[in-house]
């Protein structure tokens, strides 16, 4: 098994392989043995074949007929044994249960609601709804601000300082209005230098975002267990996976560019603008679908210590069947963070433009000197630093919690998290809160 910060993850993940007798290939990992061949390790295991609808078999019960045993007192349905140990215990919806297994009806058929669940950290250990995911992201930022805010503040400050310098000394050289038309050579030289500076600036932003995302993922993974994580600890845990995370990010970016290029290439080859635009419009929904499909690859890569191809497969499996739900939560999070950023950035940007106009006169708006002045650039950068410091943890936190939520729904990750959080007999005691996949 591989070890992630605070809680273990399966070596070959439950969603990556097909265990004999497991439905949809979600209950077994690569190289996993059938439960009958696995020695008991502190608790019972689920059998390879799921029990019939509405009836749970005892964990580890043999499938072949056995000799008669002493009669046992039957348990009510809500006290039936739960998956006690091991990975791949996802049983899927059963008869009389909601879409998330036993979580749909804690009090029996017809009594819908949420069962009580242990909450060692920022989220309860059960399938989460939208409010709990957003609340968990905000609660982590609030309760672990000594670790979260310095990371995002440093990254946002470095990125914005470089951005201001690029805008001041490179982009401001682009001709806007001039009495004399610039020569073709001057225009090419100016555009070439500006593009080089933009690429360098974009690469620095990419590196900063990757470092922040990796460290925030580690902090959120511990916050789920109710554990704190310092900046040094988060860095040590994230550092081994940084190159892989960079490779994953570049692969997704290059893949998106190639997809757009392939779809607009026919229009370019034919010299037909309409065909090119049609290809571009066709690329948009494909990019959106692929973006959500692989949106959980980053936390899978960081927390499962997996490779880039494995993390992409894991994300695809976890998102399968929940694309619209994950899309809705991701889109709403984007709208919220965009709105918060606009509230912070726009007033400062307008104030910077006003100062530039006051210094250089009304013509500063026409020739662009107001927007490229120090006042406008610095105030805009200050607003961007504040906005990114606040919104970056929310976006990263929602992604991590979506990953955790999907694994709770599909793989009974709540059992492993409960054991990692030190909750004794969680999921095996009949009086304990109901758990499951």
């Amino acid at each position: 098994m591989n070890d992630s910060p605070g809680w273990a993850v399966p070596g070959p993940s439950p969603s990556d392989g097909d265990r004999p007798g497991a439905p949809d290939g979600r209950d077994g990992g690569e190289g996993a043995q059938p439960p009958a061949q696995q020695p008991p390790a502190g608790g019972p295991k689920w059998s390879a074949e799921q029990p019939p609808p509405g009836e749970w078999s005892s964990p580890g019960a043999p499938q072949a007929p056995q000799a008669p045993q002493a009669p046992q007192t039957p348990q009510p349905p809500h006290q039936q044994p739960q998956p006690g140990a091991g990975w791949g215990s996802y049983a899927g919806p059963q008869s009389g249960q909601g879409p998330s297994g036993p979580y749909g009806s804690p009090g029996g058929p017809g009594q819908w609601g949420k069962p009580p669940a242990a909450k060692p950290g920022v989220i309860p250990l059960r399938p989460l709804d939208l409010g709990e995911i957003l609340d968990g992201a905000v609660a982590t930022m609030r309760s672990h601000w000594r670790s979260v805010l310095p990371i995002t503040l440093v990254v946002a400050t470095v990125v914005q300082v470089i951005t201001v310098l690029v805008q001041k000394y490179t982009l401001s050289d682009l001709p806007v209005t001039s009495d004399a038309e610039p020569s073709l050579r001057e225009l090419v030289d100016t555009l070439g230098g500006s593009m080089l500076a933009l690429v360098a600036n974009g690469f620095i932003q990419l590196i900063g975002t990757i470092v922040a995302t990796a460290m925030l993922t580690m902090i959120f993974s511990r916050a789920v267990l109710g554990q704190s994580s310092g900046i040094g600890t988060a860095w040590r845990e994230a550092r081994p996976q940084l190159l892989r995370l960079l490779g994953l990010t570049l692969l997704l970016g290059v893949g998106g560019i190639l997809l757009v290029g392939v779809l607009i290439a026919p229009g370019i080859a034919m010299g037909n603008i309409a065909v090119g635009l049609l290809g571009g419009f066709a690329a948009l929904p494909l990019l959106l679908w692929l973006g959500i499909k692989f949106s959980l690859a980053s936390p899978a890569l960081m927390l499962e210590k997996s490779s880039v191809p494995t993390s992409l497969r894991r994300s695809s499996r976890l998102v399968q069947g929940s694309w619209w739900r994950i899309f809705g939560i991701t889109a709403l999070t984007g709208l919220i963070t965009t709105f918060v950023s606009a509230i912070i950035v726009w007033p400062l940007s307008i104030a910077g433009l006003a100062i530039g106009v006051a210094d250089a006169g009304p013509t500063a708006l026409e020739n662009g000197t107001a927007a490229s002045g120090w006042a406008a650039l610095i105030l805009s950068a200050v607003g961007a630093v504040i906005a990114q410091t606040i919104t970056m943890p929310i976006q990263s936190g929602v992604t991590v919690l979506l990953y955790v939520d999907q694994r709770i729904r599909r793989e009974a990750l709540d059992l492993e998290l409960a054991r990692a959080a030190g909750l004794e007999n969680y999921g095996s005691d009949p009086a304990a809160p109901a758990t499951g996949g």
Side-chain angles (χ1 to χ4, degrees):
M1 295 179 68
N2 299 324
D3 292 332
S4 68
W7 42 273
V9 297
S13 55
S15 295
D16 288 342
D18 295 333
R19 186 173 62 190
D24 300 331
R26 289 180 293 189
D27 289 2
E30 297 173 2
Q33 297 179 349
Q37 300 177 4
Q38 293 179 354
K45 306 284 185 178
W46 284 107
S47 64
E49 297 182 1
Q50 295 297 335
E55 180 181 345
W56 292 104
S57 64
S58 298
Q63 300 299 318
Q66 301 292 328
Q69 299 179 358
Q72 299 180 357
T73 303
Q75 295 179 339
H78 67 280
Q79 294 182 351
Q80 290 291 347
Q82 302 293 334
W87 291 87
S89 56
Y90 172 74
Q94 301 290 339
S95 176
Q97 298 176 354
S100 297
Y103 290 99
S105 53
Q111 300 181 21
W112 295 96
K114 291 183 178 179
K119 189 178 180 181
V122 294
I123 58 171
L125 299 184
R126 55 166 165 74
L128 307 174
D129 57 29
L130 169 63
E132 289 167 337
I133 290 176
L134 292 175
D135 180 70
V138 175
T140 302
M141 185 175 64
R142 184 176 61 248
S143 57
H144 301 275
W145 64 270
R146 290 181 179 86
S147 301
V148 172
L149 295 185
I151 294 173
T152 54
L153 178 62
V154 170
V155 170
T157 301
V158 171
V159 169
Q160 289 304 316
V161 166
I162 297 175
T163 300
V164 167
L165 295 177
V166 169
Q167 290 177 337
K168 180 63 179 177
Y169 295 108
T170 304
L171 299 183
S172 59
D173 293 336
L174 289 174
V176 179
T177 58
S178 177
D179 296 335
E181 289 293 334
S183 65
L184 180 60
R185 182 181 182 82
E186 292 175 346
L187 188 59
V188 169
D189 290 343
T190 302
L191 289 175
S194 300
M195 289 300 298
L196 181 61
L198 286 175
V199 169
N201 183 42
F203 182 75
I204 293 175
Q205 291 187 19
L206 175 65
I207 296 299
T209 302
I210 287 175
V211 171
T213 300
M215 296 178 68
L216 290 175
T217 299
M218 300 306 174
I219 293 174
F220 274 94
S221 69
R222 288 188 176 274
V224 169
L225 304 176
Q227 302 173 359
S228 60
S229 179
I231 297 176
T233 302
W235 169 251
R236 287 192 299 271
E237 292 171 345
R239 184 174 55 190
Q241 292 293 99
L242 284 179
L243 287 180
R244 290 181 177 179
L245 185 58
L246 174 61
L248 173 65
T249 306
L250 291 176
L251 178 62
L252 293 176
V254 172
I257 294 173
L258 291 177
L259 176 62
V260 175
V262 168
L263 291 177
I264 66 173
I268 297 175
M270 295 185 299
N272 191 319
I273 298 179
V275 175
L277 290 176
L278 183 62
F281 286 126
L284 293 179
L286 285 176
L287 288 175
L288 179 61
W289 178 72
L290 291 173
I292 299 300
K293 182 180 180 67
F294 298 127
S295 62
L296 304 184
S298 173
L301 183 142
M302 295 302 302
L303 297 179
E304 297 182 18
K305 310 297 183 184
S306 61
S307 62
V308 173
T310 302
S311 65
L312 292 174
R313 290 195 301 269
R314 288 286 288 144
S315 179
S316 178
R317 291 288 187 108
L318 292 174
V319 173
Q320 184 178 8
S322 302
W323 190 95
W324 284 106
R325 177 176 179 271
I326 296 175
F327 165 73
I329 295 176
T330 303
L332 180 61
T333 304
L335 289 176
I336 293 174
T337 54
T338 300
F339 180 73
V340 172
S341 298
I343 291 177
I344 298 173
V345 173
W346 279 104
L348 292 174
S349 299
I350 294 174
L353 288 175
I355 294 175
V357 171
D359 290 341
T363 57
L365 288 176
E366 298 178 3
N367 56 29
T369 56
S372 60
W374 280 114
L377 293 176
I378 291 176
L379 287 178
S380 297
V382 169
V385 168
I386 298 173
Q388 291 178 9
T389 302
I390 297 173
T391 59
M392 193 183 299
I394 296 176
Q395 292 174 321
S396 298
V398 167
T399 302
V400 173
L401 295 182
L402 274 173
Y403 163 82
V404 173
D405 173 58
Q406 287 301 110
R407 292 198 62 186
I408 288 176
R409 293 172 182 270
R410 294 176 179 268
E411 302 167 1
L413 181 64
D414 54 330
L415 301 177
E416 193 68 31
L417 294 177
R419 285 191 289 270
L423 302 181
E424 299 293 337
N425 300 322
Y426 185 87
S428 59
D429 185 358
T435 61

